[in-house]
Amino acid sequence: LAAACLVALYFVERRGKRRGVDTIIDLSVLGAPSFRNGTILGTVYFTGMNSIMLIVVLLLQNGMGYTALEAGLVCAPFSVGSALVAATSGRLVARYGRPLVVGGLVVTSLGIGAMSLIAYLAGVGVQLPGGIGVWLAGVGLIAGCGSGAIISPNLTLTMQNVPPEKAGVSSSMMQLGQRLGSAIGLAVSLSVYYLVVGSGGTPANGAHWTLLITVGLFCVALGVGIFDAVQRGGGPPPSDPSKRQPAQR
């Protein structure tokens, strides 16, 4: 049904464009490699990101007996790290470009990978010093710092070569991809989690496999980021509008 709706949306948008009305999809902007690569990266990243804390909360409350408040406090460092780094990454992207996003993806992947390992250890009965919450909060802070170097810089780099008259529709396409990725990611993550738990596994087992899938998605996004960095070569920083290249039509 979802696939049929996407196909229908494509034809409706194409018809609207022919009539000269505003649309939310304009495939011509995909002619700019920076926009195409950045949109794919953002979509894949959001597919994995939005389910992370949900799975951690399920692990802590269903598997470890944490209260909602305690589980929320464990998740808080991820948001703190993301906010702190995001405050400076918007300025740093003009200097470092796509490698900044690649570095953020590496750090986030390592942090979520560590979360998956912690869940695995809890599933086999290993008692971590200080409790699982302390360890998840610590690696969550690291993962959040990486996330802060991804979202805003990727938006800047993605829109770098989009003509001003296409900025609105390009932004809507990015948002559409991210929202679709988030919805699909949440559905898949919860399905995997409850499939493992329903098959006799513990909440820790379910969290381990779900977070491992998230790491795999981040690795895909990392590959796209590296590809885009190589494709850009020694291009100008996004803050130099005089050197922007128009999207191919």
Coordinates of all heavy atoms in Angstrom, one line a residue, residues 53-75 132-133 136 193-194 197 202-204 207:
M53 N 16.6 5.6 21.0 CA 16.2 5.9 22.4 C 15.0 5.1 22.8 O 14.8 4.7 23.9 CB 16.0 7.4 22.6 CG 17.3 8.2 22.6 SD 18.5 7.7 23.8 CE 19.8 6.8 22.8
L54 N 14.1 4.9 21.8 CA 12.9 4.0 22.1 C 13.3 2.6 22.5 O 12.8 2.1 23.5 CB 12.0 4.0 20.9 CG 10.8 3.0 21.0 CD1 9.9 3.4 22.1 CD2 10.0 3.0 19.6
I55 N 14.3 2.1 21.8 CA 14.7 0.7 22.1 C 15.5 0.7 23.4 O 15.3 -0.3 24.2 CB 15.6 0.2 21.0 CG1 14.9 0.1 19.7 CG2 16.2 -1.2 21.3 CD1 13.6 -0.8 19.7
V56 N 16.2 1.7 23.7 CA 16.9 1.8 25.0 C 16.0 1.9 26.1 O 16.1 1.2 27.2 CB 17.9 3.0 25.0 CG1 18.5 3.2 26.4 CG2 19.0 2.8 24.0
V57 N 14.9 2.7 26.0 CA 13.9 2.8 27.0 C 13.2 1.4 27.2 O 12.9 1.0 28.4 CB 12.9 3.9 26.6 CG1 11.6 3.8 27.5 CG2 13.5 5.2 26.8
L58 N 12.8 0.7 26.1 CA 12.2 -0.6 26.3 C 13.1 -1.5 27.0 O 12.7 -2.3 27.9 CB 11.9 -1.1 24.9 CG 10.7 -0.4 24.2 CD1 10.6 -1.0 22.8 CD2 9.4 -0.6 24.9
L59 N 14.4 -1.5 26.7 CA 15.4 -2.4 27.4 C 15.4 -2.1 28.9 O 15.3 -3.0 29.7 CB 16.8 -2.2 26.8 CG 18.0 -2.7 27.6 CD1 17.9 -4.2 27.8 CD2 19.3 -2.3 26.9
L60 N 15.5 -0.8 29.2 CA 15.6 -0.4 30.6 C 14.4 -0.7 31.4 O 14.4 -1.2 32.6 CB 16.0 1.1 30.7 CG 17.4 1.4 30.2 CD1 17.6 2.9 30.2 CD2 18.5 0.7 31.0
Q61 N 13.2 -0.3 30.9 CA 12.0 -0.5 31.6 C 11.5 -1.9 31.6 O 11.1 -2.4 32.7 CB 10.9 0.4 31.1 CG 11.2 1.9 31.3 CD 10.0 2.8 31.0 OE1 10.0 3.5 30.0 NE2 8.9 2.7 31.8
N62 N 11.5 -2.6 30.5 CA 11.0 -3.9 30.4 C 12.0 -5.0 30.9 O 11.6 -6.0 31.4 CB 10.6 -4.3 29.0 CG 9.4 -3.4 28.5 OD1 8.7 -2.8 29.3 ND2 9.2 -3.4 27.2
G63 N 13.3 -4.7 30.7 CA 14.3 -5.7 31.0 C 15.0 -5.5 32.3 O 15.4 -6.5 32.9
M64 N 15.2 -4.2 32.7 CA 16.0 -3.9 33.9 C 15.2 -3.3 35.0 O 15.8 -3.0 36.1 CB 17.1 -2.9 33.5 CG 18.0 -3.5 32.4 SD 18.8 -5.0 32.8 CE 19.3 -5.7 31.2
G65 N 13.9 -3.1 34.8 CA 13.1 -2.6 35.9 C 13.2 -1.1 36.2 O 12.8 -0.7 37.3
Y66 N 13.7 -0.4 35.3 CA 13.9 1.1 35.5 C 12.5 1.7 35.4 O 11.6 1.3 34.7 CB 14.8 1.7 34.5 CG 16.3 1.5 34.7 CD1 16.8 0.3 35.0 CD2 17.1 2.6 34.6 CE1 18.2 0.1 35.2 CE2 18.5 2.5 34.8 CZ 19.0 1.2 35.1 OH 20.3 1.1 35.3
T67 N 12.3 2.8 36.2 CA 11.2 3.7 36.1 C 11.3 4.5 34.8 O 12.4 4.6 34.2 CB 11.0 4.6 37.3 OG1 12.0 5.5 37.3 CG2 10.9 3.8 38.6
A68 N 10.2 5.1 34.4 CA 10.2 6.0 33.2 C 11.2 7.2 33.4 O 11.9 7.6 32.5 CB 8.8 6.5 32.9
L69 N 11.2 7.7 34.6 CA 12.1 8.8 34.9 C 13.6 8.4 34.8 O 14.4 9.1 34.2 CB 11.9 9.4 36.3 CG 12.8 10.5 36.8 CD1 12.8 11.7 35.9 CD2 12.5 10.9 38.2
E70 N 13.9 7.2 35.4 CA 15.3 6.7 35.4 C 15.7 6.4 33.9 O 16.8 6.8 33.5 CB 15.4 5.5 36.2 CG 15.2 5.7 37.7 CD 15.0 4.4 38.5 OE1 14.7 3.4 37.9 OE2 15.3 4.5 39.8
A71 N 14.8 5.8 33.2 CA 15.2 5.6 31.8 C 15.4 6.8 31.0 O 16.3 6.9 30.1 CB 14.0 4.7 31.1
G72 N 14.6 7.9 31.3 CA 14.7 9.1 30.6 C 16.0 9.8 30.9 O 16.7 10.4 30.1
L73 N 16.5 9.7 32.2 CA 17.8 10.3 32.6 C 18.9 9.6 31.9 O 19.9 10.2 31.6 CB 17.9 10.2 34.1 CG 17.0 11.1 34.9 CD1 17.1 10.8 36.4 CD2 17.3 12.5 34.6
V74 N 18.8 8.3 31.7 CA 19.8 7.5 31.0 C 19.9 8.0 29.5 O 21.1 8.1 29.0 CB 19.6 6.0 31.0 CG1 20.5 5.3 30.1 CG2 19.7 5.5 32.4
C75 N 18.8 8.3 28.9 CA 18.8 8.8 27.5 C 19.2 10.2 27.3 O 19.6 10.6 26.2 CB 17.4 8.6 26.9 SG 16.9 6.8 26.8
I132 N 24.0 -1.0 34.2 CA 23.9 -0.8 32.8 C 23.5 0.6 32.4 O 23.9 1.1 31.3 CB 22.8 -1.8 32.2 CG1 22.8 -1.8 30.6 CG2 21.5 -1.6 32.7 CD1 21.9 -2.8 30.0
G133 N 22.8 1.3 33.3 CA 22.3 2.6 33.0 C 23.5 3.6 32.8 O 23.5 4.5 31.9
L136 N 25.3 2.9 29.4 CA 24.4 3.4 28.3 C 24.4 4.9 28.2 O 24.5 5.5 27.1 CB 23.0 2.9 28.4 CG 22.8 1.4 28.1 CD1 21.4 1.0 28.4 CD2 23.2 1.0 26.7
Y193 N 12.5 -6.0 17.5 CA 12.6 -6.1 18.9 C 11.5 -7.1 19.5 O 11.9 -8.1 20.2 CB 12.4 -4.8 19.6 CG 12.3 -4.8 21.1 CD1 13.5 -4.7 21.8 CD2 11.1 -4.8 21.8 CE1 13.5 -4.8 23.2 CE2 11.1 -4.9 23.1 CZ 12.2 -4.8 23.9 OH 12.2 -4.9 25.2
Y194 N 10.3 -7.0 19.1 CA 9.3 -7.8 19.6 C 9.3 -9.2 19.0 O 8.8 -10.2 19.6 CB 7.9 -7.2 19.4 CG 7.6 -6.1 20.4 CD1 7.6 -4.8 20.0 CD2 7.4 -6.4 21.7 CE1 7.4 -3.8 20.9 CE2 7.2 -5.4 22.7 CZ 7.2 -4.1 22.3 OH 7.0 -3.1 23.2
V197 N 11.9 -10.9 21.3 CA 11.3 -11.1 22.6 C 10.2 -12.1 22.5 O 10.1 -13.0 23.4 CB 10.8 -9.8 23.2 CG1 10.0 -10.0 24.5 CG2 11.9 -8.8 23.4
T202 N 15.2 -12.2 25.6 CA 15.0 -11.2 26.6 C 15.0 -9.8 26.0 O 15.4 -9.7 24.8 CB 16.1 -11.3 27.6 OG1 17.4 -10.9 27.0 CG2 16.3 -12.7 28.2
P203 N 14.5 -8.8 26.7 CA 14.5 -7.4 26.2 C 16.0 -7.0 25.8 O 16.2 -6.3 24.8 CB 14.0 -6.6 27.3 CG 13.1 -7.5 28.0 CD 13.7 -8.9 27.9
A204 N 17.0 -7.5 26.5 CA 18.3 -7.2 26.2 C 18.7 -7.8 24.8 O 19.4 -7.2 24.0 CB 19.3 -7.8 27.3
A207 N 17.1 -5.7 22.1 CA 17.8 -4.4 22.0 C 19.1 -4.6 21.3 O 19.5 -3.8 20.4 CB 18.0 -3.8 23.4

